[in-house]
């Protein structure tokens, strides 16, 4: 039989061993739980960061999209779900991010990018866009019809028509120098358009029904009628008094057409160029010269031995730009420009700068100029 003390010692050791076993197991379980919790936290943080990045990406995209269409407000919601895989939980953890962004109408308009245009207006039409792509607009003008279109002593194109041509180039390109001046004669203006040698005619082109069948005229920018110039010591009150005399005209002009139709028996001497026609009158090769009265008013001021005996003959006509038949987009562009230029009285200013000095004091701007394409 064992002593009592030995038995007590045995049980003490056994109890101590059991206690130590429970203590070690508890520590291992706690460590495992902590490790799993940390893993879950790390995964959750990573996922939340991904959600945030996804949300930021979506926000950036949607702001860009909705600012263009000017939406009043945009609500963005991003939902991300992931499984914790925790040993003590079968449920998923759901992370939901919701953000509402309100964009006012004013801010939306500020965000939208403006349309780039040389005219600061709407997107240019196809005809204007084609000119912009080419880089220059070809405009047919006179080189020998002062003060409307002529070459000055420095070799530059100047005159009333030239001022308008440069403004058209300014509106198309933002640069008034991007115009190619193509010198034309009265008789070939229509042909130059039809053969695509020019884009626009600005050569003191009187609008007539016959010409309108071959080209498209824009709104007018000047008034005109026929006149007849003779020497100061001659008398002429009507066209009938030209019977038995020689009348000088330019081929293809309204004067040529008017006298050919209405006074076919009058002897006419026809020239291609204005300089040739006026030189013939100065040399005495003809008795009278019929042309646009506006041109004659300027010419007789420089040649005071002559006078405009008949100041207005036939209909009151108008001068307009012309484009190729069917080029409605370029025509519309010029029409719109003429209307807009009325706000700044462009043609009155052009008159003061290019025409006024060439006329006598009895000729006023309103006798010649048309603003906004409308006859008063």
């Amino acid at each position: 039989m064992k002593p009592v003390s030995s038995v007590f010692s045995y049980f003490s050791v056994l109890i101590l061993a059991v206690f130590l076993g429970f203590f070690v197991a508890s520590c291992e379980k706690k460590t495992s739980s902590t490790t799993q919790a940390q893993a879950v936290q790390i995964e959750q943080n990573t996922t939340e960061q991904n959600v945030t990045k996804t949300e930021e990406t979506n926000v950036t995209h949607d702001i860009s999209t909705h600012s263009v269409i000017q939406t009043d407000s945009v609500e963005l919601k991003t939902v991300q779900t992931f499984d914790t895989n925790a040993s003590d939980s079968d449920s998923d953890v759901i992370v939901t991010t919701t953000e509402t962004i309100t964009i006012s109408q004013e801010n939306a308009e500020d965000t939208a990018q403006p349309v780039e245009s040389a005219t600061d207006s709407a997107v240019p039409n196809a005809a204007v866009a084609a000119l912009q792509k080419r880089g220059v607009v070809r405009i047919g003008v006179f080189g020998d019809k002062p003060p409307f279109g002529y070459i000055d002593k420095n070799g530059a194109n100047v005159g009333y028509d030239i001022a308008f041509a440069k403004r058209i180039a300014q509106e198309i390109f933002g640069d008034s120098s991007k115009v190619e001046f193509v010198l034309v004669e009265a008789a070939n203006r229509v042909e130059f358009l039809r053969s695509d040698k020019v884009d626009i005619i600005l050569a003191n082109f009187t609008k007539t029904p016959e010409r309108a069948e071959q080209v498209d005229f824009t709104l007018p920018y000047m008034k005109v009628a026929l006149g007849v110039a003779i020497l100061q010591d001659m008398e002429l009150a009507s066209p009938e008094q030209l019977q038995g005399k020689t009348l000088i005209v330019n081929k293809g002009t309204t004067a040529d057409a008017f006298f050919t139709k209405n006074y076919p028996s009058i002897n006419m001497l026809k020239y291609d160029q204005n300089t040739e026609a006026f030189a013939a009158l100065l040399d005495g090769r003809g008795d009278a010269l019929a042309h646009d009265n506006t041109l004659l008013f300027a010419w007789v001021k420089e040649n005071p031995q002559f006078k405009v005996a008949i100041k207005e003959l036939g209909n009151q006509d108008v001068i307009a730009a012309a484009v190729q038949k069917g080029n409605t987009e370029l025509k519309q562009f010029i029409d719109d420009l003429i209307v807009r230029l009325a706000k700044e009285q462009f043609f009155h200013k052009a008159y003061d700068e290019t025409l006024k000095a060439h006329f006598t004091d009895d000729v006023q701007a309103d006798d010649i100029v048309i603003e906004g394409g409308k006859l008063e």
Side-chain angles (χ1 to χ4, degrees):
M1 183 175 180
K2 293 182 180 180
V4 174
S5 59
S6 299
V7 173
F8 178 76
S9 296
Y10 174 79
F11 277 106
S12 296
V13 172
L14 181 62
I15 292 171
L16 179 61
V18 172
F19 175 78
L20 289 174
F22 276 111
F23 178 77
V24 171
S26 175
C27 289
E28 289 177 349
K29 182 176 182 180
K30 183 176 180 180
T31 301
S32 175
S33 298
T34 302
T35 302
Q36 290 179 351
Q38 289 176 343
V40 170
Q41 183 63 39
I42 291 172
E43 183 177 355
Q44 180 176 348
N45 291 341
T46 302
T47 305
E48 288 178 344
Q49 290 176 358
N50 291 337
V51 170
T52 302
K53 291 180 179 178
T54 302
E55 175 191 8
E56 291 175 351
T57 302
N58 290 340
V59 169
T60 302
H61 172 72
D62 285 344
I63 287 176
S64 174
T65 301
H66 289 282
S67 64
V68 173
I69 61 175
Q70 301 180 352
T71 303
D72 290 334
S73 65
V74 182
E75 182 174 309
L76 306 174
K77 177 179 288 187
T78 302
V79 178
Q80 178 69 35
T81 302
F82 58 89
D83 189 353
T84 62
N85 292 320
S87 61
D88 57 350
S89 176
D90 293 332
S91 62
D92 291 337
V93 177
I94 299 176
V95 178
T96 301
T97 303
T98 302
E99 183 176 357
T100 300
I101 301 173
T102 301
I103 304 175
S104 67
Q105 185 76 10
E106 179 180 358
N107 290 337
E109 291 174 352
D110 291 340
T111 303
Q113 295 298 317
V115 175
E116 294 184 2
S117 171
T119 60
D120 292 329
S121 60
V123 175
N125 61 41
V128 175
L131 294 176
Q132 291 174 335
K133 183 176 181 180
R134 185 205 297 158
V136 67
V137 57
R138 304 165 302 169
I139 300 183
V141 297
F142 281 132
D144 61 349
K145 194 174 182 180
F148 301 100
Y150 62 104
I151 307 296
D152 68 6
K153 60 183 180 181
N154 298 317
N157 293 89
V158 292
Y160 183 73
D161 288 339
I162 308 304
F164 186 29
K166 289 182 176 180
R167 183 56 182 267
I168 291 174
Q170 177 68 36
E171 293 294 320
I172 295 175
F173 305 104
D175 185 348
S176 62
S177 68
K178 290 192 173 184
V179 52
E180 177 186 335
F181 292 112
V182 180
L183 298 185
V184 298
E185 305 296 342
N188 65 20
R189 288 173 293 189
V190 170
E191 181 56 32
F192 268 48
L193 277 176
R194 297 180 68 178
S195 60
D196 196 33
K197 293 180 180 179
V198 296
D199 304 301
I200 304 168
I201 287 289
L202 281 179
N204 225 228
F205 209 6
T206 303
K207 182 178 180 180
T208 67
E210 294 78 15
R211 289 170 177 170
E213 293 178 357
Q214 303 179 77
V215 301
D216 282 340
F217 284 100
T218 69
L219 292 174
Y221 61 93
M222 194 170 75
K223 306 169 189 175
V224 69
L226 290 179
V228 181
I230 59 174
L231 284 167
Q232 285 281 7
D233 58 1
M234 290 180 60
E235 295 297 330
L236 182 68
S238 68
E240 285 79 9
Q241 292 177 294
L242 289 170
Q243 296 289 348
K245 295 180 171 59
T246 299
L247 175 67
I248 300 169
V249 297
N250 275 90
K251 295 177 183 178
T253 62
T254 50
D256 182 6
F258 177 83
F259 279 96
T260 298
K261 178 180 179 180
N262 298 291
Y263 300 94
S265 61
I266 292 177
N267 179 46
M268 287 194 291
L269 189 59
K270 301 182 181 182
Y271 293 94
D272 289 318
Q273 299 182 357
N274 285 300
T275 50
E276 293 176 326
F278 283 100
L281 182 62
L282 288 169
D283 293 344
R285 283 174 275 167
D287 301 293
L289 186 147
H291 217 306
D292 294 347
N293 58 359
T294 51
L295 176 61
L296 295 179
F297 293 151
W299 188 80
V300 298
K301 184 178 180 180
E302 298 295 323
N303 299 273
Q305 68 272 35
F306 291 90
K307 63 183 178 182
V308 182
I310 301 177
K311 295 184 177 182
E312 190 168 312
L313 184 63
N315 298 325
Q316 176 76 53
D317 293 317
V318 295
I319 300 287
V323 300
Q324 196 173 66
K325 194 70 176 176
N327 194 345
T328 56
E329 292 184 328
L330 185 55
K331 175 189 178 317
Q332 188 62 53
F333 173 81
I334 300 174
D335 284 346
D336 292 343
L337 176 58
I338 289 173
V339 172
R340 286 192 291 110
L341 290 179
K343 297 178 182 178
E344 60 185 75
Q345 292 290 284
F346 171 82
F347 290 106
H348 278 78
K349 293 177 182 177
Y351 173 91
D352 290 340
E353 294 172 1
T354 64
L355 300 182
K356 185 176 181 179
H358 295 271
F359 295 131
T360 55
D361 293 338
D362 60 327
V363 178
Q364 303 299 315
D366 288 336
D367 296 332
I368 296 175
V369 168
I370 299 176
E371 291 282 5
K374 297 179 180 179
L375 284 167
E376 299 295 337

